[in-house]
Amino acid sequence: MALEDEAQVSEAQIAVHWREEEYYQPPTKFIGQANASDPEILERFGEDRFPECFKDYADLLTWDHYWHTTLDTSNPPFWKWFVGGRLNASYNCVDRHLKRDPNKAALVWVPEPEEELTQAITYRELYQRVNEFAALLQGFCGTETGDRVTFHLPMVPELPVAMLACARLGVVHSQVFGGFSGAACGGRIADSQSRILVTMDGYYRNGELVDHKVKADEAVERAREEGVEVEKVLVWRRHPGQYASKSPMVPGRDFFVDEVMPDYRGKLVDPVSMPAEAPLFIMYSSGTTGRPKGCQHSTGGYLAYVAGTSKYYQDIHPEDTYWCAADIGWITGHSYIVYGPLALGTTSVMYEGVPTYPDAGRPWRIAERLGVNIFHTAPTTIRMLRKLGPDEPAKYDYHFKHMTTVGEPIEPEVWRWYYDVVGKGEAAIVDTWWQTENGGFLGSTLPALQPMKPGSCGPGVLGIYPVIYDEEGNEVEAGSGKAGNICIRNPWPGIFQTIWGDPDRFVSTYYEKYCRDRDSKDWHDWPYFANDGAMQAADGYFRILGRVDDVINVAGHRLGTKELESAAVMVEEIAEAAAVPVVDEMRGRAVEMYVALKPGVAPSKEVEDKVARMIETEIGKIARPKNVWIVPDMPKTRSGKIMRRVIAGISNFTDVGDTSTLANPEVVEDIREHVQGEKTARGEVPKELSAKDQEEIRQFGQAE
Ligand code: PRX
């Protein structure tokens, strides 16, 4: 460790002072109907019952062959769940509901244009569509069990259909968030070695029909540069028969699904019986290094975990109308729009567009019209709806029994608006903490049994035993008022299996830090390091402070600083780049880039724009920096490391900490004057930051 680092206080030593919030009790009416209302369930999932307690979740599924071993720990930390079992995820989410409820809506899709009619897709119809697309993948594309297929699809029913069609064949799907750029999609195609890309010509966003197919051309090009040739691009049309993109179809490579489909109409494909530990999908996420991590999720363990948590934490009953307003391009959508709710045979609502289009009453009109009774969204959306339409919910006659928040910390005052105004005081709220890697929830209250506390996610969920460690691996006591690194002591069925193609990185990122014995086959020696800072109150509830690695959480989306920086240095004038978070009222965090120019290059607005554009091209619009600051030099340690916490402090108008150990302390004042002067002129001076936000900024960039 460099000398200058030793002077810094470690995460775990920081005492956090904030007011503990009051408890809110779940409504009596909710408790009366809840799936988990008997406290005995907490004992059933007690540590003494681990791992057998998860039989409860596995038994929510239909197995072709029942499993013989709950948890195999013979090759840590590559855990295997429900070994010996065979099942098919598509069968579990579709076919098995046909007997009881063939004509009940599985998916209700709400297009963004309000004049376009809602589509209800029954389980029977979903079965047909899934089979037909599976037949097309098999017959037209020659995909086989174990192949990977990449989707770059927006929020349209074709996305869950494609996912379930792959699952039917045992083909591993990899959906790239539709808002990501073509280049980002291409990198993920190459990493997963997909030969097939499934996309759409366009989709509606904020009232516009966005040209999406153009990204497919960039994606194929980028994949080729990285050594992977895409053989076929399947293009769904948002309006079948009418092409919405300016990008030409490449003969022999690009095909309209609506033109190929007639050959497969009415075809059925038997679901392939897959081993429980066969991969179901890959979902890419950001981490410390520039390359996104392909999180590989299993079939049996994952599906059991999302079904179980959907039942007990989302309180989904088959007769509910459940709306998770996330994008299926993120893990939340995979687990809690598609796999969990459909495994339980409920009605899952999907919405194509922006929640505030055409106005901030839209979500509540959807809820009223469809009779939604469970609602699930992220703090960034709640903040936006609160700002733009604080009184809108009261105008609509809908009633939620249950609401969820996910993806980032929620401010207690925002939580209270959610509870009082959106939930009309009638709904139980769960604040669910988890990650792409985890498959399903890790921290949350059981909605009928554990009271809510604004700003805290709650204790570990059933069968999850979290712990907070300091940097040395000592346990940080609950109620000590100290923060540390939150870890999960035990494996669980939803945990990802590995990083696609990079098992060493899987071990080093998540297990190395707190592993007690590399040779041990006992799971107790392998705590999972979540890369989040947290503290635990005396009541056992966790408050998540944010990432301890170099990840910036923008509107609930993980962006790696290294990814942002690698994109910035692709601009030829740029010598060095550093990305830092700025606290943002709406999105939680926004990105600011600091760049140093190559010798002889003069600073200009043009260069700043080039950097912003490059980030948009390489990653996507959501990563576009709020500001790009050209600086003469970056503040650096004597070992040459950029001190991101110093520039993060400048961007946020907070204390930059000790700069005496820098190799070039004199640059700090210059940068501060320039940046803070500009920001003041632009009216970008933040309100005073909360203690928690100040800490995050102070800690930023310490992970290397
Ligand atoms: O820092 C935590 C934050 O989001 C990160 C995971 O992001 P991602 O993999 O994109 O998954 C998001 C949806 C599961 C975490 O490491 N985070 C997630 N949920 C919460 C949260 N922070 C505070 N409270 C939450 N409920």
Side-chain angles (χ1 to χ4, degrees):
M1 188 189 270
L3 189 66
E4 40 274 2
D5 289 348
E6 274 170 5
Q8 288 152 17
V9 192
S10 78
E11 173 90 17
Q13 287 165 297
I14 294 174
V16 188
H17 305 284
W18 59 53
R19 196 165 60 88
E20 278 288 323
E21 299 292 331
E22 304 282 318
Y23 289 123
Y24 283 65
Q25 296 300 330
T28 322
K29 200 166 149 199
F30 176 82
I31 300 173
Q33 59 79 64
N35 280 326
S37 56
D38 183 348
E40 180 266 340
I41 195 168
L42 295 162
E43 278 152 47
R44 267 198 283 138
F45 281 85
E47 203 170 335
D48 54 329
R49 308 279 180 90
F50 180 86
E52 305 310 326
C53 54
F54 283 114
K55 179 177 177 346
D56 188 301
Y57 286 7
D59 286 349
L60 296 172
L61 305 181
T62 303
W63 295 83
D64 305 330
H65 294 281
Y66 205 69
W67 39 279
H68 52 69
T69 305
T70 314
L71 171 63
D72 172 350
T73 64
S74 59
N75 183 24
F78 301 91
W79 319 116
K80 287 185 179 159
W81 283 89
F82 310 128
V83 184
R86 295 186 85 94
L87 76 169
N88 182 277
S90 163
Y91 178 88
N92 271 278
C93 291
V94 188
D95 306 36
R96 69 172 175 150
H97 305 309
L98 294 182
K99 262 195 232 108
R100 200 179 64 182
D101 255 339
N103 287 319
K104 165 195 176 153
L107 296 167
V108 177
W109 179 62
V110 182
E112 193 193 70
E114 220 163 350
E115 62 283 4
E116 205 177 313
L117 293 176
T118 293
Q119 262 188 41
I121 301 169
T122 62
Y123 273 96
R124 175 77 214 175
E125 171 66 15
L126 182 62
Y127 171 77
Q128 291 295 349
R129 292 196 197 182
V130 167
N131 271 282
E132 287 162 358
F133 195 63
L136 187 151
L137 283 174
Q138 208 172 36
F140 186 67
C141 303
T143 49
E144 289 175 8
T145 300
D147 286 354
R148 276 79 55 208
V149 169
T150 297
F151 312 149
H152 197 199
L153 287 167
M155 278 295 283
V156 289
E158 287 78 0
L159 174 49
V161 166
M163 289 163 69
L164 293 163
C166 282
R168 197 163 192 86
L169 301 171
V171 166
V172 180
H173 60 75
S174 167
Q175 154 70 2
V176 178
F177 169 57
F180 274 150
S181 66
C185 177
R188 287 155 174 79
I189 291 174
D191 190 79
S192 61
Q193 303 192 298
S194 301
R195 293 180 302 109
I196 310 293
L197 171 64
V198 183
T199 188
M200 187 164 251
D201 60 343
Y203 61 96
Y204 286 95
R205 201 171 162 75
N206 248 330
E208 259 178 64
L209 185 55
V210 178
D211 185 341
H212 188 63
K213 159 66 168 60
V214 64
K215 289 184 177 175
D217 301 321
E218 292 159 14
V220 170
E221 191 50 44
R222 176 59 63 97
R224 181 176 299 138
E225 284 163 25
E226 296 188 19
V228 170
E229 199 62 44
V230 173
E231 290 166 17
K232 282 197 171 73
V233 179
L234 301 179
V235 184
W236 294 90
R237 282 190 276 200
R238 175 63 175 75
H239 301 284
Q242 299 166 38
Y243 188 40
S245 170
K246 293 205 172 62
S247 143
M249 295 289 279
V250 176
R253 187 199 74 182
D254 300 352
F255 301 89
F256 289 127
V257 177
D258 58 276
E259 287 181 0
V260 181
M261 191 55 97
D263 290 346
Y264 299 92
R265 198 66 78 206
K267 292 250 158 52
L268 296 182
V269 177
D270 280 340
V272 179
S273 190
M274 300 297 291
E277 62 271 27
L280 178 62
F281 67 87
I282 304 171
M283 165 73 55
Y284 284 87
S285 192
S286 301
T288 307
T289 68
R291 235 174 39 138
K293 300 178 280 201
C295 300
Q296 177 187 315
H297 285 281
S298 72
T299 305
Y302 169 82
L303 198 62
Y305 197 68
V306 297
T309 48
S310 291
K311 178 171 176 184
Y312 296 130
Y313 286 91
Q314 298 292 283
D315 198 53
I316 291 177
H317 300 59
E319 58 276 17
D320 288 325
T321 301
Y322 165 87
W323 180 20
C324 169
D327 192 296
I328 298 177
W330 306 111
I331 191 72
T332 299
H334 272 48
S335 301
Y336 298 113
I337 297 178
V338 182
Y339 285 115
L342 296 185
L344 296 181
T346 196
T347 298
S348 184
V349 175
M350 334 172 24
Y351 171 56
E352 177 179 32
V354 175
T356 50
Y357 182 82
D359 57 71
R362 186 70 192 277
W364 323 127
R365 284 199 291 283
I366 294 174
E368 180 186 75
R369 186 176 172 105
L370 303 181
V372 171
N373 65 340
I374 308 180
F375 182 66
H376 184 153
T377 194
T380 188
T381 308
I382 305 170
R383 286 192 288 262
M384 194 161 66
L385 292 166
R386 175 176 178 245
K387 181 165 182 192
L388 299 179
D391 305 319
E392 287 299 307
K395 298 181 188 162
Y396 298 94
D397 184 22
Y398 67 82
H399 296 276
F400 296 149
K401 68 165 184 177
H402 179 292
M403 304 193 300
T404 302
T405 149
V406 61
E408 35 168 344
I410 185 163
E411 300 78 1
E413 65 275 21
V414 176
W415 190 99
R416 278 190 278 271
W417 181 78
Y418 197 40
Y419 181 82
D420 291 330
V421 180
V422 176
K424 306 177 179 179
E426 301 167 334
I429 296 185
V430 291
D431 177 345
T432 57
W433 165 70
W434 59 298
Q435 315 169 303
T436 305
E437 293 86 338
N438 309 148
F441 306 145
L442 293 182
S444 169
T445 48
L446 256 175
L449 292 172
Q450 294 162 331
M452 308 163 241
K453 190 162 76 171
S456 298
C457 66
V461 300
L462 294 170
I464 298 285
Y465 322 118
V467 62
I468 297 181
Y469 289 130
D470 67 12
E471 285 300 313
E472 282 71 48
N474 305 307
E475 208 169 316
V476 178
E477 294 295 322
S480 66
K482 288 189 175 162
N485 296 317
I486 187 163
C487 295
I488 309 300
R489 286 194 288 112
N490 61 303
W492 65 98
I495 181 70
F496 68 141
Q497 298 176 294
T498 186
I499 294 175
W500 181 264
D502 202 349
D504 293 344
R505 190 175 172 202
F506 170 73
V507 179
S508 63
T509 308
Y510 302 96
Y511 292 98
E512 209 156 66
K513 189 171 174 86
Y514 292 116
C515 178
R516 292 190 195 93
D517 174 6
R518 291 292 296 254
D519 297 324
S520 169
K521 307 233 182 281
D522 180 350
W523 60 260
H524 292 87
D525 290 322
W526 293 86
Y528 167 81
F529 170 47
N531 284 282
D532 269 329
M535 63 173 296
Q536 191 179 24
D539 59 9
Y541 280 32
F542 292 95
R543 194 148 180 174
I544 305 298
L545 302 172
R547 306 286 305 187
V548 297
D549 58 4
D550 297 324
V551 164
I552 304 177
N553 190 335
V554 179
H557 306 321
R558 267 163 69 170
L559 301 172
T561 51
K562 287 278 165 34
E563 279 165 82
L564 294 156
E565 291 161 6
S566 321
V569 298
M570 285 171 76
V571 173
E572 55 174 338
E573 289 89 347
I574 305 300
E576 247 179 347
V580 296
V582 280
V583 174
D584 183 278
E585 209 188 316
M586 280 297 135
R587 293 178 292 171
R589 299 286 174 270
V591 173
E592 289 204 351
M593 292 301 302
Y594 283 73
V595 293
L597 303 177
K598 285 183 183 156
V601 179
S604 68
K605 174 90 178 50
E606 228 180 302
V607 175
E608 291 173 12
D609 290 346
K610 262 183 157 174
V611 170
R613 265 201 314 275
M614 186 62 90
I615 290 173
E616 217 177 294
T617 312
E618 286 300 303
I619 304 172
K621 271 208 176 67
I622 55 161
R624 196 180 166 90
K626 187 166 181 176
N627 288 302
V628 177
W629 304 113
I630 299 178
V631 294
D633 196 9
M634 301 282 182
K636 285 186 187 144
T637 62
R638 275 175 236 136
S639 53
K641 202 175 95 178
I642 299 176
M643 290 301 283
R644 290 192 184 77
R645 72 169 162 86
V646 172
I647 46 181
I650 292 175
S651 272
N652 288 284
F653 290 76
T654 53
D655 183 15
V656 295
D658 181 12
T659 54
S660 63
T661 55
L662 293 182
N664 54 351
E666 68 288 351
V667 300
V668 176
E669 267 321 299
D670 290 351
I671 300 176
R672 191 211 303 272
E673 239 167 67
H674 167 57
V675 170
Q676 294 188 345
E678 276 285 323
K679 286 179 82 120
T680 307
R682 293 179 199 173
E684 288 180 17
V685 181
K687 290 196 300 221
E688 203 190 327
L689 266 48
S690 68
K692 176 181 158 301
D693 288 344
Q694 285 184 33
E695 260 161 50
E696 183 187 316
I697 300 305
R698 195 148 62 96
Q699 288 294 310
F700 190 72
Q702 310 282 307
E704 291 156 291

